[in-house]
Amino acid sequence: MKARKYFIYLLLLFILTFFWRAATNAYSTMLPLIAKYEFNFQPSLIMYLGGIGGIGSFITSFFINQRIKKLRPYFISSIALSLIVIALVPFYTGANVWFFILVEGLATGATSPLIISSAGTVEDPKERERAIAFYSLALSTSLAVAPFISSGFLILTKENLRISLAMFSALVLISMVSAFFMRLSGRNEAKINRSGIIKRTYFWKAVASNAIYTFPFVVMTYYGAILARQAFKVSYSVSVAMYSVFFITSFLTRFYLTVRPVHSIDRSVALGSLLTVLGLLLVGTHLNLMLFLLGYAILGFPHGLFWPVSLIILRRSYSDEEIYAANSYYISINNVIWLLTPFISGVIASFVGISLTFIVVIVPTAAIYLIYAYLARTSKPSALSR
């Protein structure tokens, strides 16, 4: 790809990813606050909301995406659906919020694998992996900035959670406009041995590498701001702004991966797993505000690491004809995990409370890493990565 076209493509990829993910992240972090403080939901119900969103994502990523022939209209329509759902937040009630989060999950399950596949359309292998890392960097940039945007909206609206969240629909509109100009795979019509895709050990290695961080990220997303308010008596705007510490570390990690692509994947995953355990301990014990924020910062490193690493494992293992289907199945399996994790975390929280939930989820996190380590020992290098 010529340098100028490559630059324009990366710019469009950044704009689309940045504004779409900033809005969906705000939806994930602010909706739990609305559920607890306006709908009076118990901690377990807040997690079940996340599970309903996971059901929606699973439906589209597993049953619908692979059957779509015209990708661009589908892509734009899914982003438009997110725009509508977020714009209607002021009209949510304790009863209809379940429907809206299901619809948002449906839209996310359609949008996410298409963005990932677009990042993999670059022909040159080195530029392609750099584009994937750049996509991950755009994600982290949006996540690092989104808490400040959320906090600013909350200050402007005098701590009105619903209006502040609805304002993010403007960001989704920007991403929808950029989607008209994005490169898409255009290979969804190819005849692919779909059962063979998920039978490869490297597919499950990619799934396991990202799943290591599922429990920590779920409890951070749904309980982080609530725990900050309970432990340190901070305002809505401050509790949301604290996420920036977590996402800035994630951003720096992905920026490093963009400049210097990862070499030893297995060692990186091992280090990320150890830091995950340390961060969960610091947040769960929250001995003081500084250690709490340090825990946030430490947890940002594996968040920035595991997602791009899993995508690189996938991209090295599948051909251009297979990669969209592989990404969709990968997303759908992750959505199954995301579907189950909030329900499990909600049950844990109902027994031990929010604080200890951060400690207890160390157990499944360590167990998933052991599964990854086993897959890493038994898998053979992909021919595509040689």
Side-chain angles (χ1 to χ4, degrees):
M1 184 182 292
K2 294 182 179 179
R4 184 172 179 274
K5 289 184 177 180
Y6 185 58
F7 173 78
I8 294 173
Y9 166 73
L10 291 181
L11 180 62
L12 286 171
L13 178 65
F14 185 89
I15 292 171
L16 170 62
T17 305
F18 178 89
F19 288 107
W20 175 77
R21 191 64 183 98
T24 56
N25 179 68
Y27 193 82
S28 298
T29 56
M30 294 177 71
L31 194 61
L33 290 170
I34 295 172
K36 178 172 178 58
Y37 296 107
E38 296 195 19
F39 302 153
N40 297 314
F41 280 13
Q42 294 300 311
S44 57
L45 283 180
I46 295 172
M47 276 294 182
Y48 298 159
L49 273 177
I52 295 298
I55 290 174
S57 294
F58 173 73
I59 290 172
T60 48
S61 60
F62 195 82
F63 294 108
I64 300 176
N65 287 352
Q66 295 83 359
R67 293 172 171 80
I68 300 298
K69 301 301 181 184
K70 296 182 179 180
L71 296 180
R72 191 173 302 280
Y74 182 60
F75 189 31
I76 295 169
S77 298
S78 65
I79 299 176
L81 193 59
S82 288
L83 188 155
I84 294 169
V85 168
I86 295 175
L88 291 176
V89 167
F91 302 98
Y92 284 17
T93 66
N96 67 26
V97 66
W98 302 93
F99 167 77
F100 282 112
I101 199 166
L102 175 65
V103 175
E104 172 59 19
L106 291 169
T108 300
T111 305
S112 185
L114 282 167
I115 299 177
I116 296 169
S117 296
S118 176
T121 57
V122 180
E123 294 178 1
D124 181 82
K126 290 184 178 180
E127 287 187 349
R128 183 170 57 224
E129 290 198 5
R130 186 167 280 109
I132 292 173
F134 188 79
Y135 152 75
S136 297
L137 177 65
L139 283 179
S140 284
T141 305
S142 67
L143 296 175
V145 174
F148 291 109
I149 300 173
S150 300
S151 183
F153 286 167
L154 283 164
I155 292 171
L156 287 174
T157 60
K158 298 181 180 180
E159 301 285 309
N160 189 312
L161 286 167
R162 298 199 203 193
I163 298 298
S164 297
L165 183 51
M167 291 170 71
F168 276 90
S169 59
L171 277 64
V172 184
L173 179 61
I174 296 173
S175 67
M176 187 175 72
V177 172
S178 64
F180 282 91
F181 307 99
M182 285 301 298
R183 295 180 58 190
L184 296 175
S185 173
R187 299 176 184 259
N188 210 33
E189 71 280 0
K191 293 182 179 179
I192 297 169
N193 180 9
R194 300 185 187 279
S195 63
I197 286 176
I198 62 175
K199 288 181 180 179
R200 300 183 196 178
T201 305
Y202 260 66
F203 177 86
W204 294 104
K205 183 181 177 182
V207 170
S209 67
N210 194 58
I212 293 169
Y213 204 66
T214 304
F215 275 98
F217 189 60
V218 164
V219 296
M220 276 287 294
T221 300
Y222 290 96
Y223 288 157
I226 295 172
L227 180 59
R229 280 181 57 80
Q230 291 180 345
F232 306 110
K233 311 301 179 185
V234 297
S235 66
Y236 291 134
S237 57
V238 172
S239 67
V240 171
M242 283 182 178
Y243 280 114
S244 63
V245 177
F246 170 79
F247 289 122
I248 286 173
T249 310
S250 175
F251 166 82
L252 293 174
T253 303
R254 290 182 182 174
F255 180 79
Y256 179 81
L257 292 178
T258 303
V259 177
R260 297 189 62 181
V262 64
H263 294 292
S264 177
I265 287 177
D266 295 340
R267 290 180 181 177
S268 298
V269 171
L271 176 61
S273 300
L274 287 173
L275 290 174
T276 299
V277 172
L278 176 60
L280 287 171
L281 287 171
L282 289 173
V283 174
T285 53
H286 54 272
L287 299 177
N288 57 57
L289 181 58
M290 291 303 298
L291 288 176
F292 183 81
L293 291 175
L294 178 61
Y296 264 38
I298 291 173
L299 286 170
F301 174 80
H303 177 266
L305 175 70
F306 287 132
W307 180 248
V309 161
S310 67
L311 296 182
I312 289 172
I313 293 171
L314 279 181
R315 196 62 190 88
R316 290 178 180 179
S317 305
Y318 294 96
S319 67
D320 290 344
E321 289 76 16
E322 296 172 317
I323 191 59
Y324 178 69
N327 282 333
S328 289
Y329 282 122
Y330 170 71
I331 293 293
S332 66
I333 297 298
N334 274 308
N335 286 335
V336 172
I337 298 171
W338 269 88
L339 188 159
L340 297 174
T341 304
F343 288 111
I344 297 171
S345 301
V347 171
I348 293 172
S350 67
F351 283 101
V352 303
I354 289 177
S355 296
L356 285 178
T357 298
F358 282 84
I359 308 297
V360 174
V361 298
I362 290 174
V363 176
T365 299
I368 296 170
Y369 171 72
L370 292 177
I371 294 172
Y372 172 88
Y374 171 77
L375 292 171
R377 286 196 303 270
T378 58
S379 60
K380 297 180 180 179
S382 169
L384 293 173
S385 65
R386 294 172 185 169

